Amino acid sequence: MAAEVKLMNEIEATAAQMDIDMNIDFSSIQLPPGENFGIISDDEDVYHDDQLELDSGFGNVIVVDNLPVVPREKFEKLEGVLRKIYSQIGVIKEDGLWMPVDPETKKTLGYCFIEYNTPQEAELAKEKTHGYKLDRAHIFAVNMFDDFDKYMKVPDEWAPPEIKPYTPGENLQKWLADEKARDQFVIRAGTDTEVLWNDARQSKTELVYKRTYWTESFVQWSPMGTYLATVHRQGAAVWGGANTFNRLMRYAHPQVKLIDFSPGEKFLVTYSSHEPSNPRDANRVVINIFDVRTGKVMRDFKGSADEFAIGGAGGVAGVSWPIFRWGGGKEDKYFAKLGKNMISVYETETFSLIDKKSLKVENVVDFSWSPTDPIIALFVPELGGGNQPARVSLVQIPGKEELRQKNLFSISDCKMYWQSNGEYLAVKADRYTKTKKSTYTGFELFRIRERDIPIEVLELDNKNDKIIAFAWEPKGHRFAVIHGDNPRPDISFYTMRSTHNLGRVSKLTTLKGKQANALFWSPGGRFIVLAGLKGFNGQLEFFNVDELETMATAEHFMATDVEWDPTGRYVATSVTSVHEMENGFNIWSFNGKLLYRILKDHFFQFLWRPRPPSFLTPEKEEEIAKNLKKYSKKYEAEDQDVSMLLSEQDREKRRMLKEEWEKWVEVWRRAHEEEQLERQKLRDGEASGEEEEYEAKEVEVEEVLDVSEESLLEIFVREFWVMTFMFEWVGEHWTELSTLAVQKLFDEKPLTDLTEEDEEIIKSVVAGTIPSYSLESELGDCKRAVAIRRESLQRLMGKSLSGLPLEGFDYKSILGFHCEMPIEYVQISEGIVGLLLLNGGEFSVPMATTEGCLVASTNRESLF
Amino acid sequence: MRPILMKGHERPLTFLKYNRDGDILFSCAKDHTPTVWFADNGERLGTYRGHNGAVWTCDVSRDSMRLLTGSADQTAKLWNVQTGTQLYTFNFGSPARSVEFSVGDKLASEESVLVIKGPQGRINRAVWGPLNRTIISAGEDAVIRIWDSETGKLLRESDKESGHKKTITSLTKAADGSHFLTGSLDKSAKLLDTRTLTLIKTYGTERPANAVAMSPLLDHVVLGGGHDASAVTTTDHRAGKFEAKFYDKILKEEIGGVKGHFGPINALAFNPDGKSFSSGGEDGYVRLHHSDPDYFNIKI
C-alpha cells in the first residue's frame, strides 16, 4: 500500500507539472481483465491454489527440500534445528520427522519429511516456511507430500484434452411436471431421510425416495428445488434426478458444518471450523465456494474465526451464518461479507472484490441485500455517545453510490426487513426513551421503486408495545406485526397503499389478544397463519387478510415449526425432536382444515421442496386469475373423479379385508371343531359346545318414514295463498302489530319458561314483599329460585343478565355451604397433580386454578 | 351410559378379569389386595388379603370357584373365591407377572413341573395355547414365543421384522383361543394366530399401548394406554390421551374413544357377553362401562 501511495504522489506531482486535472474518479476506471498494472488488490489471497484433501492419508505430511547435506556426525544437530523451526508452527507427531540417509555415502539426501497432527498445521507450515533462508545456500522448498503425486502425474508433453461426446443429463425438473401437480417434501426422522409427495387429495403421502443414513447432520433443498444437499464428514453432496435421487456431485470439504446455496443455485458455500492445536488461538475457519454443477472450487477463504465473527449475532458461537450473503437476485452476481469497518463485496465473474476494494463503512454492524436488486442496506449504530447519529443507508452495487440515507437518533437496535420483490424496506428501530431506561419501537418504511426513495415513519398506536414479530406479505404491499406484551399480544395489519392518498401507509385492522408469536404468510400472499409456537402450545389461526376474517382456528400441540408449501395451497406444522413428545407433522389446507397427521419419533426436519419462479408473465397470470372459473371446472371434475375412485378403492379394500378375515375365521372354526373332543376330555366331559354363547347378528331394520307426495305446484299454490292471506291480515292489524313488536324489543327474553305462578313471585320480589334470599327455602326448588332471582334482578336494574349461564349446575349442592343468593356459576378449570405424599399415602390431588403453569410446576415437583 | 367408578384400590390398577359368566369382576392393583366386584353395578364384594407386594395378575377358574393371583412378593396364591381364604401359595424366585389356569383347570402340583428359561428380559405375559399343548410368552424383548408345554422346547418365535419394536405389555386371547392380541410400548397392537404365530393385523395408535382387549361379541378391539406418569406434564394437557380407543378389528380403523381416566390405562377387560367392559388406570380407579344401544349399531 505504501508503494502505491508513493506512486500516486509521484503521478500527482507529474500531473501538476504537466497541468493536468487530477480529479478523476478512480473507481470508475476499468482495467483490462487479467492486468493489474502493478496495483495489488487488497484481496491478496485470491490466487491461492485450492487445497483439496486427498484420501491418501498423507495430508498432514510436508516435504522440506534444499536442506544442507550433512554427514552422520552433524545429523542430530540439523534435526535439532529443524525441530526448533517446525515445532513452533504445530505439533510434530512422535517420530514425525524423518530425514533419509544415503546408504552409500552415509550422508543425508538434503530433504526430510515432517508429519503434523493435522493437515491444517501442515498447510500452515508450508505457507510459513516455504522460502525460509537457513543460510545463503539453503533456501527451503516446502511442499505438501500429497502434491508430489499430483505434480509427478503432469505429463511432460502437452496433449490436447479429450473432448467427450455430449450426453444429455437427466431432467432435474421433472418433479414439477407431476400430473396431479403435487408438491414434494423431505423429512428426517431417526436415521431415515425420506422424500415424499404430498397427496393431499387422498390425505396421505406417497414415497419418492427413502434412505437410511443419507446425511450425517441435516439436509437442505437448493433455493429452486433442483437439488437436495446432504452433509457428510468428507464434504457435502447434492442429489437429484428425474424419478429418483442420484448423487449428482460431491464437494470435498472435511468436517463441513454449514452449507448455503446462492439464490440462483449456481454456487454452494461450505463452512467448517477447526479446533486450533494451540488452545489460545481462535478456531480456524475454512470456507469454500463451489460451482454447483462442475464441483469446482471457485474461491476459498481461510482464517481465524475472529475475522469472520464481526458484526452479526456475536455471542459465543461468533460466526453468524450465512457469512456470505448473496445479492443481485437470482443471477448470483454478487456476494458480500461483513468485515471490520467494511463490507467486502465480491462478484462471481472473477470471484474477486469489486474494484479490488471493499466498501469502507466505519463501524458498520449489519447489512442486507435487496432480494431482487443489487442494493445493499446497511446499518451503522450511534457513535460517540450519541453525538454521531445512527444511520441506515442504501448503496447501489457495483457503483457503490449511496442511493438514500437516513439518520436515526437515540437508537438501541435496528433490524431490516425487505419485501420479497424488493419494493419496500422496513427498518425496525428500537429507540431509547428520554430516560434511557426503556426502549420503544418505530418503523422507517422505504419505498425503493419510487423516485428519490421516500421514507415514511410508522409508529404503533401504543408506542410502548414490544414488537414480537414482523412479516411482509410476499410479493404484496401489506405487512403484519405482532405487538404488545405477553401473554396475549395484538396483531396489526398495515398496507403501503391506501385508497385515499396513495403513498401513505395505513392500518387495515388490529386483532386483539391473540395467542400468537410468529407470522407465516402464504407464499402467494393474502393468507397468513398466526401461530403461537412454544409457549403458546401450538395455537394456529388461519387468517384471510383480503377479507380480514379468520378462516379457522386450530391447534397442533407443541408445534415447533410452520411451513407453507411453495404454492400456498397447504401448510405443514411439525413438532421436531426439540420437544420430546408427540413428534411428527400435520398437513393443513390453506384455510385451516386438517388433512392428515403423521407421527414419527425423533423427528428432525420437515422441508417443502421449493419451486423455481413461474415462467408466466404477469399479464398471463392475471388472465388466468380472471378466467379461473373456466379452469377450475376441469379440476373440480378431476377432484370428483379422485373421490369417486377413492371410495371405489376403499370399498374394494374393505371387501378384501373382510374376505381375508372370513378365511381366518373359517380356519379357526375348523381347528376348534377338530379339537372339541379333546377339549371335552380335558374338562371332564363337560360339553364345550356352549362356548359360543353370544353371537352378534346383524339385523336390518327398515322403517318407512311418513311418505307424502305432493306436486311442487300444489305446494307453491298453497304457499302463495298463505302469503296473500298474511299480507291482508298484517294490513288490517298493522297498528296492533307494531306496538307488539316494539314491546317485544324492550322485553328481555325470559331466562327459562316462567309460569304464571313464577310471574307472581317475581312481582312480589320486585315489590319487596318476598325477600330474595328466602326464595330457596320458600320454593324448595333451587334452580327455580335462581331463575326467579335473576328475572327480578333484571327488572330492578333494567339490565340484561341473559348471557350468564344458568343450566348445567346443581344449585342445591351449594345451598348453605358455598354461596348465598346465587344467580349464576363460573367455570374454573381443574388439573390433577401428584402423586403427592400426604399423611404417608400417595394421592393424586385435583387443583382448581386459573393460573397457568401452576399445576404443571406442582406436578414437576411431585413424586415422579 | 355413564360409567360406574369403582374406587377400591389405593394404587394403580394392574389387571382386570371377568369370570366366565360375566357376573363378577376381579381387579388387581399395586396395593396388595386383589378385589372382587359385581360386574353389573360395581358393588364391592370382597378382597383377598395375604399378598405382600403389588399384585400383577390373576385368573379365575371356569367354575368361578378358585382365584389364582400372581404378585411381586414372588408368590402366586390360590384363593377360594367365595370365602376369600388362601388355599395354597406357590413360591418363586422372582415376581409372578402372569398366571393362567390351563384348559380344564386341573394342571397343578406342589412342585414346579417345568421351568422355561431363555428369553432375555422380563416376561410380562404367558398364556396356555390350545389344548394345553403350548405356552405363549411375551415380554420386554418384544418377541412372542411359543413353547412346548411338555418339554419346554421353543417351537416358534415371532418375526423380528414385522414384530413389536418395544416391550410387550399385554396379551389377550380370543374367546375360543384361536388368535390373540398383544399391546406394546411401540404404540401398536398386533393380532396373531395362536397356532402359527402369523401376524394378521397391526393397529397403530398415538401412545404406548399398556392394555388391550377384544370384544367377544363384535369385531372390535380396544387399546388403552398413555404416556408414563413422569412424562404427563410434558405432553398434551387434554385428558384425551388417556382414552380407551376402539378399533374395527378387521378394517383396523379407529371407531371411537372412551375418555375418563386421568392417568394411563393399565388394564382392560371385556365382559364375556360383550355388552360391557371395564378399564383400570394408573389413577387407581376402575371404570365400568355398560355400552349404549348405539354402540351395537356402529357402522363404518
Side-chain angles (χ1 to χ4, degrees):
Chain A
M1 282 300 279
E4 197 185 318
V5 173
K6 205 171 140 199
L7 205 69
M8 279 303 298
N9 291 343
E10 278 173 22
I11 293 170
E12 269 166 33
T14 327
Q17 279 172 15
M18 294 164 72
D19 211 27
I20 297 169
D21 183 15
M22 272 303 289
N23 290 329
I24 304 164
D25 182 5
F26 284 95
S27 59
S28 68
I29 298 173
Q30 295 288 323
L31 296 177
E35 181 61 72
N36 64 5
F37 290 100
I39 303 167
I40 306 149
S41 164
D42 45 348
D43 182 21
E44 55 273 281
D45 48 1
V46 70
Y47 297 115
H48 272 223
D49 222 353
D50 48 328
Q51 297 293 330
L52 281 183
E53 299 295 346
L54 298 179
D55 285 334
S56 63
F58 292 112
N60 48 354
V61 180
I62 55 169
V63 183
V64 186
D65 213 342
N66 272 352
L67 297 177
V69 176
V70 294
R72 189 182 289 186
E73 307 87 69
K74 285 192 173 178
F75 184 91
E76 273 187 23
K77 193 178 175 194
L78 180 59
E79 197 185 290
V81 170
L82 286 173
R83 259 189 204 285
K84 202 173 165 194
I85 296 167
Y86 282 98
S87 56
Q88 283 172 0
I89 293 158
V91 181
I92 301 174
K93 270 198 181 166
E94 211 173 308
D95 294 331
L97 195 152
W98 182 52
M99 204 156 22
V101 177
D102 190 325
E104 281 172 24
T105 60
K106 305 287 179 201
K107 283 185 176 178
T108 61
L109 290 165
Y111 56 85
C112 77
F113 301 92
I114 296 170
E115 187 176 3
Y116 280 104
N117 263 338
T118 64
Q120 285 78 20
E121 286 170 336
E123 214 168 285
L124 199 66
K126 183 197 134 187
E127 274 170 35
K128 284 209 171 165
T129 61
H130 184 65
Y132 181 87
K133 273 189 191 167
L134 190 66
D135 56 42
R136 192 177 286 269
H138 299 102
I139 298 168
F140 285 5
V142 186
N143 277 299
M144 301 298 290
F145 184 82
D146 281 338
D147 288 347
F148 271 83
D149 262 357
K150 199 163 86 186
Y151 298 143
M152 291 303 281
K153 272 188 199 144
V154 176
D156 291 340
E157 288 209 7
W158 182 79
E162 200 183 322
I163 295 167
K164 284 186 193 151
Y166 171 72
T167 47
E170 274 186 285
N171 178 4
L172 299 179
Q173 260 89 31
K174 197 168 174 222
W175 98 95
L176 290 168
D178 179 48
E179 271 180 16
K180 298 179 207 159
R182 298 171 298 181
D183 273 295
Q184 287 187 352
F185 57 85
V186 65
I187 57 168
R188 222 154 52 73
T191 53
D192 292 345
T193 305
E194 291 171 55
V195 178
L196 302 158
W197 287 110
N198 167 33
D199 208 334
R201 270 184 186 162
Q202 306 199 26
S203 287
K204 65 181 178 69
T205 59
E206 191 187 314
L207 187 69
V208 181
Y209 188 75
K210 177 176 177 171
R211 201 176 163 124
T212 310
Y213 300 112
W214 200 356
T215 176
E216 279 172 40
S217 51
F218 60 93
V219 292
Q220 188 173 332
W221 292 107
S222 62
M224 297 205 271
T226 316
Y227 311 104
L228 183 72
T230 56
V231 180
H232 308 269
R233 202 151 33 90
Q234 301 89 340
V238 294
W239 307 69
N243 298 310
T244 178
F245 280 82
N246 302 316
R247 186 165 57 214
L248 301 174
M249 190 52 73
R250 280 194 281 196
Y251 311 97
H253 187 154
Q255 284 151 50
V256 59
K257 289 266 152 45
L258 298 165
I259 58 171
D260 181 39
F261 280 96
S262 65
E265 60 187 35
K266 285 202 187 85
F267 304 105
L268 178 75
V269 186
T270 57
Y271 164 92
S272 66
S273 157
H274 304 271
E275 290 275 325
S277 48
N278 184 349
R280 272 169 301 181
D281 293 348
N283 279 11
R284 254 174 75 76
V285 166
V286 179
I287 297 170
N288 288 324
I289 301 178
F290 294 92
D291 184 303
V292 168
R293 277 195 287 185
T294 62
K296 232 179 91 184
V297 181
M298 303 308 289
R299 175 86 200 249
D300 62 344
F301 296 87
K302 287 171 194 162
S304 79
D306 299 337
E307 287 175 46
F308 293 94
I310 297 152
V316 187
V319 178
S320 77
W321 186 254
I323 291 170
F324 289 104
R325 299 177 203 167
W326 294 86
K330 302 269 184 224
E331 280 127 58
D332 295 348
K333 263 174 115 168
Y334 308 106
F335 59 101
K337 169 177 94 74
L338 193 64
K340 197 169 168 64
N341 295 332
M342 62 180 182
I343 297 171
S344 308
V345 186
Y346 302 81
E347 56 179 347
T348 54
E349 214 167 298
T350 59
F351 275 89
S352 57
L353 285 170
I354 292 181
D355 305 337
K356 300 179 181 175
K357 295 268 187 304
S358 290
L359 186 63
K360 298 264 187 293
V361 188
E362 287 296 316
N363 289 308
V364 59
V365 294
D366 195 14
F367 78 98
S368 70
W369 285 95
S370 154
T372 48
D373 304 291
I375 297 172
I376 284 178
L378 56 90
F379 169 63
V380 181
E382 229 164 39
L383 291 174
N387 289 335
Q388 209 173 326
R391 76 187 155 96
V392 170
S393 44
L394 296 171
V395 179
Q396 176 98 44
I397 300 295
K400 298 185 183 176
E401 315 115 43
E402 195 164 75
L403 297 174
R404 191 76 163 91
Q405 184 192 329
K406 168 94 180 185
N407 286 339
L408 303 163
F409 296 90
S410 43
I411 290 290
S412 77
D413 195 18
C414 192
K415 264 220 162 71
M416 293 172 280
Y417 301 92
W418 283 93
Q419 183 251 17
S420 71
N421 281 357
E423 288 169 52
Y424 310 110
L425 169 71
V427 175
K428 188 189 97 177
D430 292 338
R431 292 187 171 83
Y432 290 112
T433 50
K434 272 184 191 143
T435 55
K436 293 236 168 193
K437 274 180 187 155
S438 58
T439 58
Y440 66 97
T441 309
F443 290 95
E444 311 281 330
L445 301 164
F446 293 66
R447 295 168 192 272
I448 309 293
R449 295 284 153 83
E450 281 171 37
R451 213 163 60 93
D452 297 338
I453 310 182
I455 301 170
E456 214 176 312
V457 181
L458 171 72
E459 275 180 359
L460 296 171
D461 297 345
N462 178 3
K463 282 207 298 189
N464 297 324
D465 273 359
K466 281 207 167 55
I467 306 294
I468 296 162
F470 176 95
W472 281 104
E473 178 182 28
K475 301 176 199 160
H477 52 90
R478 293 176 286 207
F479 60 89
V481 186
I482 304 183
H483 54 94
D485 292 314
N486 286 325
R488 282 181 168 271
D490 300 342
I491 301 172
S492 296
F493 293 91
Y494 293 86
T495 174
M496 296 295 283
R497 298 181 197 154
S498 55
T499 43
H500 307 298
N501 48 346
L502 273 156
R504 293 291 300 167
V505 63
S506 62
K507 190 164 94 173
L508 293 168
T509 189
T510 296
L511 311 173
K512 292 266 178 209
K514 289 286 174 194
Q515 289 202 354
N517 51 16
L519 299 164
F520 298 94
W521 282 95
S522 156
R526 187 170 167 195
F527 306 112
I528 188 168
V529 174
L530 317 170
L533 305 177
K534 293 164 196 142
F536 286 139
N537 290 349
Q539 295 290 332
L540 305 169
E541 182 165 342
F542 295 79
F543 193 79
N544 181 340
V545 185
D546 273 5
E547 309 292 331
L548 294 177
E549 66 181 13
T550 302
M551 298 184 290
T553 53
E555 187 195 50
H556 182 186
F557 187 68
M558 284 300 167
T560 53
D561 297 87
V562 176
E563 200 186 352
W564 282 86
D565 85 330
T567 59
R569 294 176 295 174
Y570 305 104
V571 184
T573 59
S574 45
V575 179
T576 56
S577 65
V578 291
H579 196 72
E580 207 179 319
M581 297 284 169
E582 332 244 337
N583 278 196
F585 62 92
N586 288 2
I587 302 285
W588 312 76
S589 67
F590 74 97
N591 54 0
K593 191 178 146 214
L594 180 62
L595 299 173
Y596 58 96
R597 167 178 172 83
I598 289 176
L599 290 172
K600 288 222 182 248
D601 273 348
H602 302 290
F603 191 70
F604 299 116
Q605 266 189 307
F606 182 103
L607 293 172
W608 288 103
R609 189 173 192 168
R611 284 168 176 256
S614 163
F615 287 113
L616 296 174
T617 57
E619 296 82 45
K620 184 81 185 159
E621 272 185 32
E622 204 169 306
E623 192 197 312
I624 292 172
K626 235 186 238 166
N627 301 323
L628 199 62
K629 278 238 170 75
K630 205 171 74 196
Y631 296 102
S632 67
K633 245 184 211 145
K634 181 185 138 206
Y635 293 112
E636 266 162 29
E638 245 172 57
D639 274 355
Q640 191 134 28
D641 285 353
V642 168
S643 68
M644 290 276 277
L645 188 73
L646 210 64
S647 52
E648 188 61 34
Q649 280 176 347
D650 220 31
R651 269 201 292 278
E652 184 62 15
K653 207 177 103 200
R654 284 177 179 209
R655 206 179 49 76
M656 295 265 292
L657 284 171
K658 284 251 197 253
E659 265 173 29
E660 193 191 333
W661 181 254
E662 299 290 325
K663 246 180 251 164
W664 276 107
V665 171
E666 184 56 31
V667 169
W668 290 331
R669 199 180 53 78
R670 227 174 293 144
H672 199 71
E673 273 170 17
E674 276 166 25
E675 290 168 355
Q676 184 157 357
L677 275 178
E678 288 188 58
R679 197 162 40 241
Q680 263 186 36
K681 223 158 64 195
L682 281 170
R683 287 189 179 142
D684 299 331
E686 190 191 339
S688 57
E690 28 96 51
E691 274 172 350
E692 311 264 327
E693 283 167 59
Y694 310 100
E695 201 182 344
K697 274 202 185 123
E698 284 198 17
V699 186
E700 294 273 336
V701 182
E702 249 183 68
E703 272 179 61
V704 179
L705 300 167
D706 189 23
V707 179
S708 57
E709 282 181 42
E710 267 176 312
S711 80
L712 275 173
L713 188 69
E714 266 176 42
I715 298 174
F716 177 72
V717 170
R718 209 173 58 196
E719 291 274 337
F720 179 74
W721 280 111
V722 171
M723 292 292 280
T724 329
F725 177 73
M726 264 181 65
F727 280 124
E728 280 175 16
W729 189 83
V730 169
E732 283 167 29
H733 300 84
W734 177 243
T735 34
E736 293 140 74
L737 263 182
S738 51
T739 40
L740 241 174
V742 170
Q743 194 128 42
K744 199 79 198 154
L745 277 175
F746 283 99
D747 274 354
E748 278 300 333
K749 197 176 146 271
L751 293 163
T752 45
D753 300 326
L754 296 166
T755 59
E756 274 185 36
E757 193 193 339
D758 291 347
E759 193 60 38
E760 285 300 317
I761 303 170
I762 291 167
K763 277 186 186 145
S764 332
V765 174
V766 172
T769 45
I770 299 180
S772 184
Y773 62 79
S774 68
L775 280 170
E776 268 87 359
S777 52
E778 294 277 353
L779 294 169
D781 180 348
C782 295
K783 201 190 123 197
R784 191 171 153 215
V786 173
I788 288 170
R789 179 174 297 120
R790 283 170 66 149
E791 188 58 32
S792 26
L793 193 63
Q794 279 194 74
R795 294 190 192 180
L796 277 167
M797 298 190 307
K799 298 259 165 66
S800 166
L801 295 173
S802 58
L804 304 180
L806 172 70
E807 300 288 339
F809 186 69
D810 182 9
Y811 291 96
K812 202 173 169 184
S813 65
I814 58 162
L815 182 66
F817 286 103
H818 300 297
C819 180
E820 291 74 38
M821 306 219 351
I823 54 163
E824 58 137 343
Y825 63 94
V826 176
Q827 292 184 334
I828 290 191
S829 47
E830 185 168 278
I832 186 79
V833 297
L835 299 174
L836 301 179
L837 193 64
L838 298 173
N839 294 336
E842 290 170 8
F843 293 94
S844 289
V845 179
M847 191 180 238
T849 177
T850 53
E851 184 186 339
C853 299
L854 182 63
V855 174
S857 21
T858 315
N859 248 327
R860 198 171 42 243
E861 300 303 322
S862 74
L863 281 180
F864 292 100
Chain B
M1 281 251 284
R2 271 181 80 89
I4 298 167
L5 257 75
M6 291 137 76
K7 178 68 184 159
H9 289 286
E10 289 167 358
R11 296 288 313 274
L13 269 285
T14 56
F15 197 76
L16 292 167
K17 179 86 188 173
Y18 282 92
N19 70 338
R20 199 172 72 95
D21 300 325
D23 59 345
I24 52 176
L25 169 69
F26 298 91
S27 64
C28 304
K30 287 185 186 170
D31 60 19
H32 309 162
T33 328
T35 304
V36 60
W37 317 76
F38 272 123
D40 184 37
N41 56 9
E43 194 180 318
R44 187 158 72 164
L45 269 168
T47 54
Y48 301 91
R49 290 181 186 277
H51 272 300
N52 199 21
V55 182
W56 289 114
T57 177
C58 71
D59 192 26
V60 59
S61 66
R62 197 174 152 88
D63 57 8
S64 301
M65 298 301 283
R66 300 280 178 269
L67 176 72
L68 191 58
T69 55
S71 163
D73 64 4
Q74 312 198 346
T75 65
K77 287 180 193 288
L78 190 67
W79 311 80
N80 183 322
V81 168
Q82 280 176 312
T83 61
T85 46
Q86 262 183 59
L87 299 176
Y88 192 76
T89 302
F90 303 88
N91 285 301
F92 309 107
S94 59
R97 280 270 171 179
S98 184
V99 293
E100 201 196 18
F101 283 108
S102 63
V103 177
D105 299 341
K106 280 187 307 200
L107 300 181
S109 71
E110 295 184 14
E111 292 298 311
S112 82
V113 175
L114 179 68
V115 178
I116 297 171
K117 280 186 183 165
Q120 292 289 309
R122 206 168 65 197
I123 298 173
N124 282 335
R125 286 288 177 266
V127 295
W128 291 98
L131 303 178
N132 300 342
R133 281 179 191 152
T134 54
I135 289 170
I136 303 158
S137 75
E140 223 167 18
D141 62 353
V143 182
I144 302 160
R145 294 185 176 83
I146 296 189
W147 311 83
D148 188 314
S149 58
E150 286 290 326
T151 62
K153 230 176 72 191
L154 179 65
L155 298 178
R156 279 175 205 278
E157 255 184 344
S158 64
D159 186 27
K160 275 237 164 61
E161 243 344 89
S162 64
H164 283 298
K165 301 282 180 285
K166 286 185 183 169
T167 301
I168 297 168
T169 52
S170 59
L171 188 158
T172 177
K173 282 193 289 183
D176 63 355
S178 60
H179 56 285
F180 63 87
L181 184 68
T182 57
S184 161
L185 297 184
D186 67 5
K187 304 181 183 176
S188 73
K190 288 178 193 289
L191 190 79
L192 293 101
D193 181 86
T194 313
R195 293 175 182 88
T196 62
L197 220 51
T198 317
L199 178 68
I200 302 170
K201 305 275 180 197
T202 300
Y203 309 92
T205 170
E206 290 187 6
R207 68 220 102 207
N210 295 343
V212 291
M214 273 190 283
S215 166
L217 189 61
L218 301 175
D219 284 323
H220 290 169
V221 299
V222 191
L223 270 54
H227 294 294
D228 285 349
S230 58
V232 165
T233 45
T234 58
T235 168
D236 202 330
H237 57 293
R238 289 162 301 192
K241 291 288 157 177
F242 304 127
E243 278 174 301
K245 288 253 186 210
F246 276 72
Y247 288 77
D248 189 284
K249 196 177 189 175
I250 303 165
L251 303 177
K252 302 189 281 190
E253 282 168 38
E254 195 179 309
I255 303 169
V258 179
K259 293 180 191 177
H261 281 288
F262 47 86
I265 292 174
N266 288 342
L268 281 170
F270 249 104
N271 190 309
D273 71 3
K275 289 176 186 161
S276 64
F277 81 99
S278 53
S279 57
E282 189 80 16
D283 54 10
Y285 279 100
V286 178
R287 295 172 76 91
L288 181 60
H289 306 260
H290 289 282
S291 307
D292 289 328
D294 290 347
Y295 166 71
F296 301 101
N297 299 323
I298 295 173
K299 277 258 167 72
I300 58 167

